[in-house]
Amino acid sequence: MKYLDEFNDPQLARRLLDDIRATVTRPWALMEVCGGQTHSIIRHGIDQLLPEEVELIHGPGCPVCVTPLECIDKALEIAARPDVIFCSFGDMLRVPGTDRDLFRVKGEGGDVRVVYSPLDALQLARRHPDKQVVFFAIGFETTAPANAMAVHQARRLGLANFTLLVSHVRVPPAVEAIMTAPACRVQGFLAAGHVCSVMGMAEYPELAERHRVPIVVTGFEPLDILEGIRRTVGQLERGEHRVENAYARAVRPDGNPAAIAMIEEVFEVTDRNWRGIGRIPASGWRLSEAYRDHDAEHRFDVTGIRTEEPAECRAGEVLQGLIKPTDCAAFGTTCTPRTPLGATMVSSEGACAAYYLYRRMSEPAPLREEMNPVG
């Protein structure tokens, strides 16, 4: 890739759309797994430009959105302690807990800091040996290597005052959970390219074969997404269910072996709750026994927290692909980015935030073909 514009070309987009239109003969429902893909789809109106037979279902691919409410409440309790410097990426500060968020804790005197890397938090631990420095380690497989490296370095440096509050989740078990849900309508997947750039594609062929669904590893620019859709629809029309790599410029079949080795050294697989979805077996990581001294949940003994989601928030159904954001009565009224009821309205990758940001306040009729497909 030389220039980003190469993957944002209206003429090439029209050719891909024409190819999809010429291929499709019946309705198909595809799920894009990643929230970054969702934002690109809504921003460029890709879902409205596709032939009416192709429906895109937004998946649970936003790590902020699926971080469980009880984990948010644990973060709030830890961050409010006077001996703690609590570090997080900025998109977590507005995510609502049961009765407040990290911004509120900061306003009440908690030492809550936005960092751009877990290694920034590690440096704070070195500079403030009298403080407990906690980094909020959330995300899919993409962010796991950096978080693993941070705690690996902390142990090597003997920084006993550095811990992670871990809420890592894994994509393949989520795909399994989606496909085995009674209300599942998904017939093909656009897999998240950045996840596969770390982990490779080894876990997907078994899923594709068992559930007889094509899985196409896809990037995030408009042409990436249209090419992923084109390949997925082509497989469905031919009755195939294979794993394809449509993001070869960033994804190798074996992923990043060094990153995988670091993850496997520091983390171990565990069951994990997903906000709005529930418990998915083997869908997360936690710190392994060798690194348990750097686990904030154990260090601060935050257990026994009871949580309850707002009754009017339907973010869980959005995350499962059962409804669109506009199907929720609270969307754009009582739930906005300034007054969010759920994480899907807060996160930079949340589906509700995408619909609100790009003024998709209702589900309009498809755009006319002559309109510029990627602006």
Side-chain angles (χ1 to χ4, degrees):
M1 180 179 66
K2 295 179 181 177
Y3 307 106
L4 202 57
D5 288 348
E6 293 179 5
F7 299 91
N8 194 21
D9 185 310
Q11 296 302 320
L12 290 177
R14 289 191 184 95
R15 287 167 56 185
L16 287 168
L17 284 163
D18 288 343
D19 199 353
I20 294 167
R21 202 171 284 116
T23 301
V24 68
T25 63
R26 52 171 288 190
W28 300 111
L30 318 181
M31 175 175 280
E32 82 273 4
V33 173
C34 176
Q37 292 169 338
T38 300
H39 270 251
S40 187
I41 287 165
I42 302 304
R43 176 187 178 189
H44 296 287
I46 291 172
D47 57 328
Q48 298 175 53
L49 291 160
L50 291 168
E52 62 181 12
E53 292 89 350
V54 180
E55 177 188 3
L56 296 182
I57 299 174
H58 313 315
C62 164
V64 173
C65 301
V66 301
T67 300
L69 184 56
E70 60 266 27
C71 189
I72 302 295
D73 282 357
K74 288 174 183 178
L76 297 172
E77 182 176 324
I78 293 170
R81 301 191 182 193
D83 61 333
V84 167
I85 299 174
F86 193 89
C87 301
S88 172
F89 295 139
D91 52 3
M92 290 302 301
L93 269 64
R94 291 288 309 283
V95 178
T98 298
D99 56 9
R100 55 182 176 166
D101 57 27
L102 284 168
F103 263 133
R104 175 78 174 271
V105 172
K106 183 176 178 67
E108 293 172 347
D111 193 347
V112 177
R113 306 192 190 189
V114 174
V115 296
Y116 298 97
S117 163
L119 298 177
D120 294 341
L122 192 68
Q123 291 304 313
L124 284 171
R126 298 184 73 173
R127 294 200 301 267
H128 299 277
D130 58 325
K131 293 283 190 176
Q132 293 292 324
V133 177
V134 181
F135 178 73
F136 202 177
I138 72 155
F140 289 97
E141 293 93 332
T142 320
T143 58
N147 293 336
M149 176 58 74
V151 77
H152 173 84
Q153 292 280 15
R155 191 177 73 166
R156 186 179 66 83
L157 296 169
L159 294 175
N161 65 325
F162 179 81
T163 56
L164 301 182
L165 180 61
V166 180
S167 186
H168 272 300
V169 287
R170 302 174 59 241
V171 169
V175 172
E176 174 73 21
I178 289 164
M179 290 308 303
T180 54
C184 176
R185 298 188 298 112
V186 179
Q187 296 163 293
F189 285 94
L190 306 181
H194 55 0
V195 169
C196 293
S197 71
V198 175
M199 302 303 296
M201 300 159 54
E203 293 186 83
Y204 292 102
E206 182 182 350
L207 288 169
E209 180 63 31
R210 183 163 64 252
H211 298 291
R212 303 186 69 78
V213 293
I215 300 175
V216 178
V217 179
T218 307
F220 305 90
E221 299 304 317
L223 297 187
D224 288 325
I225 293 169
L226 287 170
E227 174 63 8
I229 293 168
R230 186 188 72 84
R231 294 195 190 197
T232 307
V233 169
Q235 281 200 49
L236 288 166
E237 290 284 339
R238 296 189 298 271
E240 298 173 355
H241 47 275
R242 297 180 289 104
V243 177
E244 285 190 64
N245 183 6
Y247 198 38
R249 69 180 187 272
V251 173
R252 299 184 305 182
D254 61 345
N256 184 327
I260 293 171
M262 179 57 63
I263 291 170
E264 291 178 344
E265 176 187 334
V266 172
F267 293 117
E268 62 186 21
V269 173
T270 186
D271 298 344
R272 182 70 71 190
N273 285 328
W274 293 52
R275 189 169 191 170
I277 298 175
R279 198 163 192 82
I280 301 178
S283 67
W285 280 310
R286 65 183 178 190
L287 288 171
S288 65
E289 189 64 37
Y291 289 88
R292 198 59 51 83
D293 288 345
H294 294 280
D295 189 330
E297 193 168 346
H298 289 266
R299 173 77 56 87
F300 296 96
D301 192 26
V302 281
T303 58
I305 290 177
R306 299 289 181 266
T307 60
E308 186 174 350
E309 297 279 3
E312 64 270 38
C313 179
R314 301 180 67 185
E317 294 169 87
V318 173
L319 289 167
Q320 295 175 71
L322 301 177
I323 65 171
K324 297 288 195 293
T326 49
D327 295 325
C328 177
F331 172 77
T333 55
T334 56
C335 182
T336 71
R338 287 184 175 274
T339 59
L341 295 177
T344 49
M345 184 58 89
V346 178
S347 170
S348 60
E349 293 188 356
C352 296
Y355 273 59
Y356 191 94
L357 175 63
Y358 300 113
R359 312 310 295 169
R360 190 76 68 82
M361 306 306 287
S362 61
E363 202 61 32
L367 300 179
R368 299 190 306 275
E369 281 188 30
E370 65 267 25
M371 295 187 70
N372 186 335
V374 292

